[in-house]
Amino acid sequence: MIIDGKLISLQIQDEIAIEVNKIKSNGGKLPHLAAILVGNDGASETYVAAKVKACEKVGFKSTLVRMPSTTTEQELLEKVNELNADADLDGYIVQLPIPKHINEHKIIEAIAPEKDVDGFHAQNVGRMALNLPTYLPATPYGIMQLLERYKIETVGKHCVVIGRSHIVGSPMSILMARNTNPGNCTVTLCHSRTPDLKEFTLKADILIVALGKPEFVTADMVKEGVVIIDVGITRVTSDKTKTGFKLVGDVKYDEVAAKASYITPVPGGVGPMTIASLLKNTLKASRREVYF
Ligand code: NAP
């Protein structure tokens, strides 16, 4: 079965729009999300534009703060402090990557944890590991939503995660091992230093792939009935599309889909869920559900 992330993402956005209408009719303050965009990286422009558009669609207030690529670390820290102090703002994100001359960790740690709707601050990561109320990072949160809404059984299953980045693989391994539903898996976290990866992937009931190598996972690496969550997105050249490019996941889709019980396509699987998760976190922030 194909896991339709686009559909679920739209459903979540509809649910959020209903909540915003309730807030409006009760005369409450609209949830307000801001994004800081430093420089003019093409992909970041696209992501931020999509986030602003999604805010408008569900009825949130949104603010885009643009800063030039020459912005110093000090200037960005000042902007972060300004947004921390802005009482009208419920949450905000600093769109990554930021220019190399700025220390990313320093910036993330300067964001007020209660406004860190990307869930990247060490305090929120720690709260996630301790199973305390927090903002889950958007992509892992989206994957948890997909597993939940498709009622995919995870308890007692063996979940193998490929990739240990701070934004996808590592939080996924924590979430799938927690005593929650979805969760309660036995988790194996694989990375580039894992010898004989196939030995592990063949044992996976649920395989979460986030390494950024197009069509890396092939049918001979998975068992019959596996649940596949393909996080990878790589733009490759194609003579079959008008643009000359297409998006490819980390999984060789057709042959692996033939063996899988569930699979996320690329595009239209995990990708669209990221924005829905950010909106969910912003709604939580506006309701002071995490920090109160
Ligand atoms: P990343 O930071 O580059 O991390 C990649 C991870 O994969 C690293 O832990 C690396 O191991 C591991 N790895 C690399 N080659 C490997 C191999 N041959 N065998 C086993 N492990 C290997 O990537 P990321 O940010 O997590 O992103 C991964 C992919 O997901 C990318 O395609 C990205 O575009 C996509 N992505 C999609 C979304 C979405 O919304 N759908 C969101 C975020 C990312 P080491 O740690 O040992 O180097």
Side-chain angles (χ1 to χ4, degrees), residues 157-216:
K157 304 288 183 193
H158 183 198
C159 174
V160 175
V161 180
I162 309 179
R164 58 177 164 185
S165 73
H166 294 329
I167 60 164
V168 190
S170 176
M172 255 350 281
S173 71
I174 293 170
L175 291 171
M176 294 304 277
R178 293 195 319 184
N179 182 3
T180 54
N181 189 18
N184 276 308
C185 286
T186 304
V187 176
T188 303
L189 179 57
C190 301
H191 44 76
S192 69
R193 309 296 288 270
T194 304
D196 197 4
L197 191 69
K198 190 173 162 183
E199 185 195 330
F200 297 101
T201 57
L202 274 173
K203 289 186 185 139
D205 300 311
I206 302 169
L207 181 61
I208 301 176
V209 195
L211 77 160
K213 297 218 154 79
E215 302 189 326
F216 180 87

Side-chain angles (χ1 to χ4, degrees), residues 207-253:
L207 181 61
I208 301 176
V209 195
L211 77 160
K213 297 218 154 79
E215 302 189 326
F216 180 87
V217 172
T218 45
D220 61 309
M221 292 170 73
V222 302
K223 69 178 181 188
E224 203 69 47
V226 65
V227 174
I228 299 279
I229 306 292
D230 186 357
V231 188
I233 314 175
T234 309
R235 216 165 79 126
V236 299
T237 50
S238 166
D239 51 16
K240 294 198 180 91
T241 63
K242 269 190 212 156
T243 54
F245 291 101
K246 65 172 181 173
L247 296 176
V248 178
D250 285 349
V251 173
K252 201 155 195 184
Y253 185 82

